[in-house]
Amino acid sequence: MTCYFNKLIFDQLYNYWRVGLKWDVFPEKKWDNGTVPYVISPLYEPAEFITISRAISTINFMTCVKLVPWDGKKKDYLLIWPIKFPKGCWSYVGKYGGPQLLSLQAPDEKGPNCLGNEGRAMHEILHALGIFHEQSRFDRDKFVTIHKDNIIPQYLSNFDKQSLKNTTYKFEYDYDSIMHYGRNFFSKGKGKPTITAKHAGAKLGQRRMLSKTDCLKVNDLYGCLNKSSYLQRKYYTICQVLGI
């Protein structure tokens, strides 16, 4: 895509696809004014706190959504915590109301878990903003094959598709999305891929940075691209320059 932002190019880009909650169906799941209060658990070590803070700063810079420290008064806020039961990297999709858990498992003797870099934290925060996994798109079967026999049974539901009724699609399918599963996620064993691309040479997912399309998804979902021509140019430029 080019960095010249005339109306024709904007219209072409806007007619691509994305997957996120439909606010007219689930208005209560949208964060008010695009502002997300948060609390980071004091249980994290300083290095882990910094990793989470960098993830938050990246989203704040690349989008018009603003994650801000909780003032102790707002009813709805994210509670970023190293949850033990069930432990792991997980989040609800969209705002659920009240103190809303977002789990980022801290490093341990087995590895970095959710905090080896900023990517997994950004992935979970995007869920909290209302973004589904990329391979949950209703049209995903045109782009990937799901190998159900290779998936650990209790995780089969992670590969469900979202309906056209409840989600919107405005950007093309994105193999590079930070929200896309990798080839072997939730596999029963080595050499048993759970998801493969139908397009030769496509690599599935990453956990380093928002892709260009991830960045546009969030900005579009929260109306950042409609506020003014200046903000439209600003966020398209940021997404193109910084997105993978």
Side-chain angles (χ1 to χ4, degrees):
M1 282 184 257
T2 180
C3 286
Y4 296 96
F5 300 101
N6 57 40
K7 185 178 186 301
L8 174 61
I9 292 173
F10 172 73
D11 288 345
Q12 290 173 341
L13 290 170
Y14 197 79
N15 287 327
Y16 283 174
W17 296 76
R18 74 133 191 274
V19 57
L21 282 166
K22 275 187 178 176
W23 295 143
D24 57 344
V25 178
F26 300 105
E28 73 282 1
K29 292 186 180 295
K30 185 176 183 180
W31 292 90
D32 298 340
N33 301 314
T35 300
V36 185
Y38 69 87
V39 173
I40 300 177
S41 169
L43 298 177
Y44 288 113
E45 296 292 335
E48 299 155 11
F49 184 94
I50 289 170
T51 298
I52 297 169
S53 297
R54 284 177 175 170
I56 288 170
S57 295
T58 298
I59 293 172
N60 281 347
F61 182 77
M62 294 181 73
T63 76
C64 70
V65 174
K66 293 301 172 237
L67 291 105
V68 299
W70 183 50
D71 61 5
K73 299 177 182 178
K74 293 287 193 302
K75 178 176 69 96
D76 303 326
Y77 61 95
L78 276 184
L79 192 56
I80 302 172
W81 213 266
I83 305 299
K84 292 186 177 180
F85 304 103
K87 65 182 180 180
C89 318
W90 55 265
S91 171
Y92 299 101
V93 177
K95 184 184 74 174
Y96 264 65
Q100 177 173 327
L101 289 173
L102 186 156
S103 175
L104 292 174
Q105 186 179 351
D108 57 25
E109 66 280 359
K110 295 181 180 179
N113 294 319
C114 308
L115 295 173
N117 60 23
E118 296 85 10
R120 290 188 181 276
M122 288 190 282
H123 175 101
E124 300 306 337
I125 292 170
L126 259 59
H127 276 318
L129 294 178
I131 306 293
F132 288 101
H133 288 130
E134 188 70 3
Q135 76 282 345
S136 294
R137 288 169 58 121
F138 184 80
D139 63 345
R140 62 102 181 275
D141 294 328
K142 297 177 183 177
F143 303 94
V144 297
T145 300
I146 305 298
H147 304 281
K148 292 186 178 180
D149 289 344
N150 293 343
I151 299 170
I152 298 170
Q154 62 262 40
Y155 296 110
L156 274 169
S157 62
N158 288 19
F159 293 81
D160 289 347
K161 288 191 290 187
Q162 297 299 321
S163 73
L164 288 172
K165 178 181 178 182
N166 297 333
T167 54
T168 61
Y169 302 83
K170 287 187 180 176
F171 293 97
E172 61 187 354
Y173 195 93
D174 184 14
Y175 288 118
D176 293 325
S177 174
I178 202 170
M179 305 306 290
H180 204 301
Y181 276 179
R183 176 183 172 89
N184 298 302
F185 278 33
F186 304 105
S187 173
K188 289 180 178 178
K190 188 175 181 180
K192 294 184 176 182
T194 54
I195 180 169
T196 53
K198 290 188 174 181
H199 290 67
K203 294 182 179 180
L204 299 182
Q206 47 78 28
R207 296 294 182 270
R208 303 189 307 277
M209 171 58 79
L210 303 187
S211 69
K212 293 176 175 61
T213 305
D214 291 327
C215 181
L216 290 171
K217 284 178 189 176
V218 178
N219 279 304
D220 182 64
L221 200 61
Y222 277 85
C224 315
L225 306 179
N226 299 328
K227 294 185 176 182
S228 70
S229 58
Y230 165 75
L231 288 177
Q232 184 186 113
R233 290 192 299 272
K234 172 184 175 180
Y235 288 115
Y236 265 108
T237 300
I238 288 173
C239 292
Q240 293 301 316
V241 172
L242 297 183
I244 287 178

